[in-house]
PDB file of all heavy atoms in Angstrom:
ATOM      1  N   CYS A 888     -10.258  -0.537   3.847  1.00 97.00           N
ATOM      2  CA  CYS A 888     -11.697  -0.285   3.954  1.00 97.00           C
ATOM      3  C   CYS A 888     -11.956   1.123   3.428  1.00 97.00           C
ATOM      4  O   CYS A 888     -11.287   2.089   3.843  1.00 97.00           O
ATOM      5  CB  CYS A 888     -12.128  -0.402   5.410  1.00 97.00           C
ATOM      6  SG  CYS A 888     -13.857   0.001   5.739  1.00 97.00           S
ATOM      7  N   VAL A 889     -12.890   1.253   2.518  1.00 94.00           N
ATOM      8  CA  VAL A 889     -13.174   2.538   1.884  1.00 94.00           C
ATOM      9  C   VAL A 889     -14.671   2.805   1.955  1.00 94.00           C
ATOM     10  O   VAL A 889     -15.475   1.973   1.539  1.00 94.00           O
ATOM     11  CB  VAL A 889     -12.717   2.538   0.409  1.00 94.00           C
ATOM     12  CG1 VAL A 889     -12.972   3.901  -0.220  1.00 94.00           C
ATOM     13  CG2 VAL A 889     -11.248   2.163   0.296  1.00 94.00           C
ATOM     14  N   VAL A 890     -15.034   3.953   2.472  1.00 93.00           N
ATOM     15  CA  VAL A 890     -16.443   4.305   2.616  1.00 93.00           C
ATOM     16  C   VAL A 890     -16.751   5.490   1.717  1.00 93.00           C
ATOM     17  O   VAL A 890     -16.009   6.483   1.703  1.00 93.00           O
ATOM     18  CB  VAL A 890     -16.793   4.638   4.076  1.00 93.00           C
ATOM     19  CG1 VAL A 890     -18.293   4.910   4.209  1.00 93.00           C
ATOM     20  CG2 VAL A 890     -16.395   3.470   4.986  1.00 93.00           C
ATOM     21  N   SER A 891     -17.859   5.386   0.992  1.00 88.00           N
ATOM     22  CA  SER A 891     -18.227   6.427   0.037  1.00 88.00           C
ATOM     23  C   SER A 891     -19.446   7.190   0.525  1.00 88.00           C
ATOM     24  O   SER A 891     -20.394   6.606   1.045  1.00 88.00           O
ATOM     25  CB  SER A 891     -18.543   5.785  -1.315  1.00 88.00           C
ATOM     26  OG  SER A 891     -19.092   6.747  -2.202  1.00 88.00           O
ATOM     27  N   ASP A 892     -19.389   8.520   0.319  1.00 84.00           N
ATOM     28  CA  ASP A 892     -20.575   9.345   0.593  1.00 84.00           C
ATOM     29  C   ASP A 892     -21.272   9.674  -0.714  1.00 84.00           C
ATOM     30  O   ASP A 892     -21.840  10.734  -0.852  1.00 84.00           O
ATOM     31  CB  ASP A 892     -20.191  10.617   1.349  1.00 84.00           C
ATOM     32  CG  ASP A 892     -19.273  11.521   0.528  1.00 84.00           C
ATOM     33  OD1 ASP A 892     -18.962  11.164  -0.621  1.00 84.00           O
ATOM     34  OD2 ASP A 892     -18.879  12.577   1.036  1.00 84.00           O
ATOM     35  N   ASP A 893     -21.200   8.758  -1.657  1.00 70.00           N
ATOM     36  CA  ASP A 893     -21.846   8.843  -2.963  1.00 70.00           C
ATOM     37  C   ASP A 893     -20.977   9.484  -4.027  1.00 70.00           C
ATOM     38  O   ASP A 893     -21.318   9.440  -5.194  1.00 70.00           O
ATOM     39  CB  ASP A 893     -23.178   9.602  -2.888  1.00 70.00           C
ATOM     40  CG  ASP A 893     -24.166   9.083  -3.921  1.00 70.00           C
ATOM     41  OD1 ASP A 893     -23.966   7.950  -4.402  1.00 70.00           O
ATOM     42  OD2 ASP A 893     -25.121   9.793  -4.249  1.00 70.00           O
ATOM     43  N   TYR A 894     -19.884  10.078  -3.631  1.00 71.00           N
ATOM     44  CA  TYR A 894     -18.974  10.615  -4.630  1.00 71.00           C
ATOM     45  C   TYR A 894     -17.536  10.534  -4.167  1.00 71.00           C
ATOM     46  O   TYR A 894     -16.666  10.066  -4.883  1.00 71.00           O
ATOM     47  CB  TYR A 894     -19.329  12.067  -4.959  1.00 71.00           C
ATOM     48  CG  TYR A 894     -18.522  12.618  -6.101  1.00 71.00           C
ATOM     49  CD1 TYR A 894     -18.752  12.187  -7.396  1.00 71.00           C
ATOM     50  CD2 TYR A 894     -17.536  13.565  -5.882  1.00 71.00           C
ATOM     51  CE1 TYR A 894     -18.014  12.681  -8.450  1.00 71.00           C
ATOM     52  CE2 TYR A 894     -16.792  14.063  -6.934  1.00 71.00           C
ATOM     53  CZ  TYR A 894     -17.036  13.623  -8.219  1.00 71.00           C
ATOM     54  OH  TYR A 894     -16.301  14.117  -9.250  1.00 71.00           O
ATOM     55  N   LYS A 895     -17.301  10.999  -2.951  1.00 81.00           N
ATOM     56  CA  LYS A 895     -15.943  11.033  -2.449  1.00 81.00           C
ATOM     57  C   LYS A 895     -15.685   9.797  -1.596  1.00 81.00           C
ATOM     58  O   LYS A 895     -16.558   9.325  -0.869  1.00 81.00           O
ATOM     59  CB  LYS A 895     -15.725  12.296  -1.611  1.00 81.00           C
ATOM     60  CG  LYS A 895     -14.267  12.643  -1.399  1.00 81.00           C
ATOM     61  CD  LYS A 895     -14.147  14.084  -0.935  1.00 81.00           C
ATOM     62  CE  LYS A 895     -12.697  14.503  -0.840  1.00 81.00           C
ATOM     63  NZ  LYS A 895     -12.552  15.935  -0.488  1.00 81.00           N
ATOM     64  N   LEU A 896     -14.480   9.275  -1.715  1.00 87.00           N
ATOM     65  CA  LEU A 896     -14.101   8.094  -0.954  1.00 87.00           C
ATOM     66  C   LEU A 896     -13.284   8.489   0.272  1.00 87.00           C
ATOM     67  O   LEU A 896     -12.414   9.354   0.193  1.00 87.00           O
ATOM     68  CB  LEU A 896     -13.279   7.146  -1.830  1.00 87.00           C
ATOM     69  CG  LEU A 896     -13.915   6.659  -3.130  1.00 87.00           C
ATOM     70  CD1 LEU A 896     -12.993   5.672  -3.822  1.00 87.00           C
ATOM     71  CD2 LEU A 896     -15.270   6.033  -2.870  1.00 87.00           C
ATOM     72  N   SER A 897     -13.569   7.838   1.389  1.00 90.00           N
ATOM     73  CA  SER A 897     -12.766   8.009   2.603  1.00 90.00           C
ATOM     74  C   SER A 897     -12.041   6.697   2.844  1.00 90.00           C
ATOM     75  O   SER A 897     -12.688   5.647   2.957  1.00 90.00           O
ATOM     76  CB  SER A 897     -13.646   8.370   3.796  1.00 90.00           C
ATOM     77  OG  SER A 897     -14.237   9.630   3.626  1.00 90.00           O
TER      78      SER A 897
END
Side-chain angles (χ1 to χ4, degrees):
Chain A
C888 176
V889 182
V890 184
S891 171
D892 63 1
D893 211 20
Y894 187 71
K895 198 163 185 176
L896 303 183
S897 294

